[in-house]
C-alpha cells in the first residue's frame, strides 16, 4: 500500500503503524512503595519484564493528580503526577528506562472533562453565572419555574443525569441553588467548553509539556465528545450511545471536532519524529471513525469492532477485512484490541454461552460470575486463539496488562471493595469495571502475589496459578505464548497487507502476509483439516495443543515461510 507522505523523513516516523502497545493501568500494575497502589517506580522496575515480553510501546492510563472519582480519568492537574504514584522525576526516570529498553511511551490525555477539583472548575464555582470563569465549562440555567429541572434530558454514561445543580457562591443568588453544569460522566467530571480559546490553548500546552518530557504519543480519551451543540433549546437525547452517521448528534462525533484535532496535529508535528496519537472514539461508523485517524489529525483511532464481536469466523474475517480497507483509505494503519480497563476481560467474555449479549454479560457480573456458569477453559482457549489471530494482522495491536497472564475478570469482588462510579450511579444495578482492574499477580508465593502492599482491590486466590513467575519458562503457558508471538511478530510485520486464503464463510480463517507468514484460525469446536497446500511442518506457534495434521478446535496456528 502507499503510505501517505509524512511531514517527517525521520526513520522512526512510522513506529506506531504496526506497534504492539501494552496498556499499563498504573494503579494496578506494580507497587514499588508498598502502599497497595501501583506507581511509576513500579512500572520502571518492570521494564525488564516488558522488554522480554517483546512489546514496542507502553500506554499509561492517567497517573495525574486526581481524587479517583473515575480511576484517574478525573484529572485535577494535567501537567503533574499524583503524589501516590510518584513525581515528575519518577516519570522522567520511567521514560528513560523505557527508551533504554527500546520501548516507546504513550500517555493518556483526557480533554472532554476535568475533575471538579481542577483550578478552573473551582474558579467557575466561586464565580457568578455569566462570568468568564464559567465560560470554560458548560453551565446553564435549569428549566421549570425556578430552574429546578435540569437543562436537558441528557443522561450520564455512568447512570443518572448529566447535569448537577450548584449552590451559587457569588452574585445576587449567593447561598441559593442556581445554575447546572454538564458532566457526561461522573458528577466529579465537568465537561469542558471546547469553543473556548483558553481550553484549546491549555491542551496544546499539555501536549507540549509531555512531548518535551520525551513521550512518543498520546491516547485521546473520549475524542469524539469535545465539540457539542449547546445552542438553545438543547436538543433531546435520552440515550447517549445511539448515534447517526451524519455528524448531527448534539454531543458526539460532530464535524467541528476535527478542527480541534487538526490543531493538535500541528502541535504533534512540531516534533521530529512527529508524536503519534490514537483516538478513543466509540463511533460505530467506520467512515466517520476514520476521520479522526487521518494523517492531518490524530493518525489512528481505536476500532472496537473485534472487541464487540462474538468469537466467530465470519465476523472476525469480515471485520478485519473492512477495517484494513478503511484504514488504508484514510492513510492510517488499523488498530486492534480485545481487552482494556473498561471492558470485561476477553478470556471471560468468551467463556459465556454463545449468543450472550452485553446485558447478559452485565447480569453475569452482577451475579458474581456464577450465572450462567462460565466455561473458563473454553474462554481462555478462545482468547488465546483470538489474540494470535490479531497479532498476525497488519496494524497496531493494543494489549491490556494481565491478558498475557491469561487473567480472567475478577467477577466476584466483594461489594464493599467496588470503586467504579457506575456501581454507585446505577444504585448497584451495573457492577462496573473494577473486575478487570485488580492488581497483577507477579509471584505465586509472595505476599500480595508480589504486587507490593495490600492491593487497593483484593486479589483472588486463583491468581496464584496465573502469576508471571508461575508461567515463566513453562511451555504452553499464556505468558510464553505471548512472548513467542511478539518475538515472531517482528519478522512477520513488514508490508502492511495480507491476502485472504479462505472462503468468507469457512470456519477456518486463513491469511498470508506478503513475506510468506501464514495464520490459520479454527473458530469451530471440532478440529479442522489443514487446508490443502499448507505444510503443517511449518507451524512455529500454536495457541492451543500442538498441531498434529489438523487445526485443533478454537486454535490459531502461525506458519513461518
Ligand atoms: C474513557 C475511559 C474510561 C473513562 C471515560 C471517562 O472511556 O477509557 O475509563 O471512564 O473515558 O473519562
Amino acid at each position: 500500500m502507499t503510505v501517505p507522505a509524512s511531514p517527517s523523513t525521520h526513520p522512526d516516523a512510522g513506529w506506531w503503524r504496526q506497534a504492539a502497545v501494552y496498556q499499563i493501568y498504573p494503579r494496578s500494575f506494580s507497587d514499588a512503595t508498598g502502599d497497595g497502589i501501583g506507581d511509576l517506580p513500579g512500572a520502571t522496575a518492570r521494564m525488564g519484564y516488558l522488554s522480554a515480553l517483546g512489546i514496542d510501546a507502553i500506554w499509561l492510563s492517567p497517573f495525574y493528580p486526581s481524587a479517583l472519582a473515575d480511576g484517574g480519568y478525573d484529572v485535577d492537574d494535567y501537567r503533574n503526577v499524583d503524589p501516590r504514584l510518584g513525581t515528575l522525576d519518577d516519570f522522567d526516570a520511567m521514560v528513560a528506562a523505557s527508551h533504554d529498553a527500546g520501548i516507546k511511551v504513550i500517555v493518556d490525555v483526557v480533554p472532554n472533562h476535568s475533575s471538579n477539583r481542577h483550578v478552573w472548575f473551582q474558579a467557575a464555582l466561586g464565580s457568578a453565572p455569566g462570568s468568564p470563569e464559567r465560560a470554560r465549562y458548560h453551565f446553564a440555567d435549569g428549566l421549570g419555574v425556578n430552574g429546578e429541572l435540569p437543562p436537558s434530558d441528557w443522561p450520564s454514561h455512568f447512570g443518572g443525569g448529566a447535569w448537577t445543580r450548584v449552590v451559587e457562591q457569588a452574585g445576587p443568588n449567593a447561598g441559593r441553588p442556581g445554575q447546572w453544569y454538564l458532566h457526561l460522566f461522573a458528577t466529579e467530571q465537568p465537561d469542558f467548553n471546547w469553543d473556548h480559546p483558553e481550553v484549546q490553548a491549555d491542551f496544546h500546552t499539555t501536549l507540549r509539556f509531555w512531548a518535551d518530557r520525551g513521550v512518543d504519543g498520546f491516547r485521546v480519551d473520549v475524542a469524539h465528545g469535545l465539540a457539542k451543540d449547546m445552542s438553545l433549546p438543547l436538543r433531546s437525547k435520552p440515550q447517549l450511545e445511539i448515534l447517526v452517521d451524519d455528524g448531527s448528534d448534539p454531543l458526539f462525533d460532530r464535524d467541528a471536532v476535527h478542527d480541534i484535532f487538526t490543531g493538535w496535529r500541528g502541535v504533534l508535528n512540531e516534533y521530529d519524529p512527529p508524536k503519534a496519537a490514537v483516538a478513543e472514539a466509540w463511533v460505530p461508523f467506520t467512515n466517520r471513525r476514520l476521520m479522526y485517524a487521518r494523517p492531518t489529525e490524530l493518525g489512528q483511532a481505536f476500532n472496537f469492532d473485534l472487541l464487540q464481536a462474538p468469537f466467530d469466523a465470519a465476523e472476525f474475517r469480515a471485520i478485519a477485512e473492512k477495517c484494513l480497507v478503511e484504514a488504508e483509505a484514510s492513510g492510517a494503519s488499523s488498530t486492534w484490541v480485545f481487552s482494556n480497563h473498561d471492558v470485561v476481560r476477553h478470556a471471560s467474555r468468551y467463556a459465556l454461552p454463545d449468543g450472550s449479549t452485553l446485558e447478559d454479560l452485565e447480569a453475569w457480573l452482577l451475579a458474581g460470575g456464577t450465572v450462567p456458569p462460565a466455561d473458563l477453559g473454553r474462554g481462555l482457549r478462545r482468547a488465546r486463539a483470538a489474540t494470535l489471530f490479531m497479532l498476525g494482522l497488519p496494524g497496531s495491536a493494543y494489549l491490556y496488562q494481565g491478558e498475557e497472564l491469561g487473567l480472567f475478570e475478577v467477577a466476584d469482588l466483594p461489594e464493599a471493595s467496588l470503586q467504579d462510579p457506575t456501581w454507585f450511579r446505577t444504585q448497584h444495578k451495573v457492577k462496573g469495571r473494577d473486575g478487570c482492574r485488580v492488581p497483577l499477580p507477579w509471584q505465586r508465593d509472595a505476599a500480595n502475589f508480589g504486587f507490593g502492599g495490600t492491593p487497593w482491590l483484593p486479589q483472588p486466590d486463583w491468581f496464584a496459578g496465573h502469576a508471571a513467575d508461575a508461567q515463566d519458562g513453562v511451555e504452553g503457558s499464556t505468558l510464553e505464548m505471548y512472548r513467542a508471538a511478539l518475538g515472531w511478530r517482528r519478522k512477520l510485520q513488514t508490508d502492511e497487507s495480507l491476502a485472504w486464503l479462505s472462503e468468507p464463510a469457512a470456519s477456518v480463517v486463513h491469511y498470508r502476509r506478503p513475506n510468506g507468514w501464514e495464520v490459520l484460525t479454527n473458530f469451530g469446536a471440532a478440529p479442522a483439516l489443514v487446508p490443502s497446500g499448507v505444510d503443517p511442518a511449518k507451524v512455529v506457534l500454536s495457541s492451543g495443543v500442538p498441531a498434529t495434521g489438523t487445526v485443533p478446535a478454537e486454535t490459531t496456528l502461525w506458519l513461518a515461510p
Side-chain angles (χ1 to χ4, degrees):
M1 71 173 276
T2 326
V3 176
S6 155
S8 163
T9 52
H10 195 289
D12 224 9
W15 69 265
W16 46 272
R17 296 192 67 89
Q18 302 207 67
V21 183
Y22 182 93
Q23 182 190 355
I24 291 182
Y25 193 72
R27 285 198 298 152
S28 303
F29 185 61
S30 185
D31 168 24
T33 58
D35 62 357
I37 301 171
D39 43 42
L40 297 181
T44 305
R46 301 289 180 187
M47 223 42 89
Y49 172 85
L50 294 172
S51 163
L53 185 58
I55 47 130
D56 302 303
I58 49 175
W59 145 35
L60 288 109
S61 280
F63 48 80
Y64 315 112
S66 167
L68 304 178
D70 179 23
Y73 283 90
D74 46 321
V75 179
D76 295 351
D77 175 356
Y78 288 88
R79 303 193 278 273
N80 214 333
V81 174
D82 189 304
R84 288 164 292 189
L85 272 64
T87 62
L88 281 169
D89 285 345
D90 291 330
F91 180 82
D92 294 341
M94 187 208 66
V95 172
S98 191
H99 286 167
D100 283 350
I103 295 172
K104 309 273 195 225
V105 179
I106 296 174
V107 298
D108 223 304
V109 51
V110 189
N112 181 65
H113 43 264
S114 70
S115 90
N116 58 346
R117 306 197 310 177
H118 190 284
V119 56
W120 279 358
F121 193 71
Q122 286 300 314
L125 290 180
S127 305
S131 61
E133 288 80 1
R134 289 230 162 149
R136 298 185 193 111
Y137 293 90
H138 292 296
F139 279 83
D141 294 331
L143 304 177
V145 183
N146 297 309
E148 71 281 8
L149 299 174
S152 71
D153 61 355
W154 301 342
S156 136
H157 273 287
F158 297 149
W163 294 94
T164 289
R165 196 173 194 187
V166 301
V167 173
E168 298 296 353
Q169 297 174 18
N173 277 331
R176 287 200 289 274
Q179 285 197 304
W180 299 69
Y181 68 89
L182 178 69
H183 53 88
L184 291 181
F185 293 87
T187 316
E188 297 86 351
Q189 293 169 295
D191 283 46
F192 277 122
N193 172 13
W194 271 88
D195 286 335
H196 199 296
E198 285 176 27
V199 172
Q200 308 224 7
D202 197 61
F203 273 90
H204 287 192
T205 304
T206 294
L207 294 174
R208 289 192 184 100
F209 179 86
W210 295 107
D212 289 344
R213 296 194 101 90
V215 312
D216 304 285
F218 297 90
R219 178 262 189 192
V220 184
D221 192 64
V222 197
H224 58 317
L226 310 192
K228 297 181 176 77
D229 176 9
M230 301 300 291
S231 56
L232 297 174
L234 297 174
R235 281 189 275 151
S236 169
K237 185 164 173 55
Q239 280 178 290
L240 291 184
E241 49 289 335
I242 297 181
L243 291 184
V244 283
D245 66 352
D246 61 2
S248 66
D249 191 279
L251 296 174
F252 291 104
D253 193 34
R254 298 181 60 73
D255 291 342
V257 82
H258 298 293
D259 297 337
I260 297 171
F261 294 132
T262 306
W264 284 35
R265 177 44 61 194
V267 175
L268 303 176
N269 284 356
E270 289 167 7
Y271 299 84
D272 195 26
K275 301 301 177 187
V278 56
E280 186 217 25
W282 288 84
V283 175
F285 321 103
T286 33
N287 58 330
R288 291 197 61 88
R289 188 165 64 208
L290 284 166
M291 294 164 77
Y292 300 80
R294 291 179 291 198
T296 48
E297 296 191 29
L298 297 176
Q300 264 194 334
F302 277 116
N303 92 62
F304 297 109
D305 300 355
L306 273 187
L307 182 153
Q308 292 170 307
F311 183 80
D312 176 85
E315 296 245 13
F316 270 49
R317 156 102 192 240
I319 289 169
E321 240 177 317
K322 180 187 70 175
C323 292
L324 288 171
V325 167
E326 304 222 0
E328 182 171 353
S330 77
S333 61
S334 195
T335 60
W336 313 106
V337 54
F338 284 116
S339 281
N340 64 31
H341 66 297
D342 288 330
V343 297
V344 170
R345 285 184 178 277
H346 64 295
S348 289
R349 293 202 309 267
Y350 296 145
L352 261 59
D354 287 343
S356 295
T357 61
L358 194 57
E359 289 70 38
D360 296 333
L361 194 60
E362 280 177 2
W364 173 80
L365 262 187
L366 212 51
T370 53
V371 184
D375 181 343
L376 296 181
R378 187 182 64 164
L380 183 56
R381 187 164 63 245
R382 289 177 161 195
R384 289 168 50 130
T387 296
L388 286 198
F389 173 86
M390 164 179 92
L391 288 176
L393 292 172
S396 316
Y398 285 80
L399 308 170
Y400 178 53
Q401 66 177 40
E403 68 171 78
E404 80 280 17
L405 303 176
L407 288 189
F408 299 104
E409 187 82 358
V410 182
D412 57 353
L413 281 170
E415 291 191 355
S417 68
L418 297 179
Q419 309 217 3
D420 189 338
T422 309
W423 172 245
F424 302 102
R425 292 185 60 88
T426 61
Q427 284 77 44
H428 302 184
K429 290 195 185 68
V430 182
K431 190 112 168 242
R433 302 160 293 175
D434 293 308
C436 66
R437 300 177 177 179
V438 177
L440 292 192
W442 294 96
Q443 291 166 270
R444 180 204 289 263
D445 296 319
N448 307 316
F449 300 119
F451 166 70
T454 307
W456 65 279
L457 284 172
Q459 299 162 306
D461 293 344
W462 57 261
F463 263 29
H466 291 256
D469 74 344
Q471 302 192 45
D472 186 26
V474 175
E475 201 187 327
S477 71
T478 302
L479 178 59
E480 291 300 343
M481 183 198 85
Y482 270 76
R483 286 175 175 164
L486 291 165
W488 290 121
R489 184 179 152 90
R490 297 225 159 109
K491 299 193 191 304
L492 179 149
Q493 298 290 34
T494 49
D495 189 294
E496 289 177 36
S497 60
L498 59 65
W500 298 101
L501 301 178
S502 51
E503 295 301 314
S507 76
V508 173
V509 179
H510 182 190
Y511 61 82
R512 183 192 294 135
R513 298 297 299 273
N515 51 7
W517 282 79
E518 288 181 39
V519 175
L520 279 167
T521 302
N522 178 8
F523 287 82
L529 290 177
V530 172
S532 64
V534 171
D535 178 0
K538 291 189 171 169
V539 173
V540 293
L541 188 60
S542 166
S543 69
V545 292
T548 48
T550 64
V551 193
E554 300 173 330
T555 296
T556 296
L557 306 177
W558 280 17
L559 290 86

